């Protein structure tokens, strides 16, 4: 599911990307560890729903110094 999140984010379909994020989280997709730092996900990274999930996973939001 994370790969579909990337595609949705890149195509500007933020809502679909965020829906897929829920699926990836529920399925414990190992690539979720990159959610807060992957450049391809910049368009959704600052959405409160995404920030909340990143924080729940104990991961950083954004790269240091960004």
């Amino acid at each position: 599911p994370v790969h579909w999140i990337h595609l949705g984010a890149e195509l500007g379909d933020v809502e679909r990307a965020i829906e897929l994020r829920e699926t990836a989280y529920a399925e414990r997709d190992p690539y979720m560890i990159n959610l807060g730092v992957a450049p391809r996900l910049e368009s959704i990274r600052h959405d409160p729903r995404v920030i909340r999930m990143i924080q729940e996973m104990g991961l950083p939001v954004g790269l240091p110094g960004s």
Side-chain angles (χ1 to χ4, degrees):
V2 168
H3 299 294
W4 293 110
I5 296 169
H6 286 272
L7 183 60
E10 288 177 344
L11 293 174
D13 191 351
V14 174
E15 289 304 313
R16 181 68 177 139
I18 289 173
E19 287 175 20
L20 289 167
R21 167 197 58 99
E22 293 287 345
T23 301
Y25 185 71
E27 292 180 7
R28 302 206 182 280
D29 188 314
Y31 293 105
M32 288 291 286
I33 63 169
N34 297 317
L35 188 61
V37 296
R40 295 172 67 188
L41 298 177
E42 183 64 31
S43 66
I44 67 168
R45 181 169 302 124
H46 302 290
D47 185 286
R49 297 168 289 184
V50 175
I51 291 171
R52 186 172 45 255
M53 180 172 285
I54 292 168
Q55 290 171 337
E56 287 174 5
M57 292 188 295
L59 300 171
V61 178
L63 296 172
S66 62

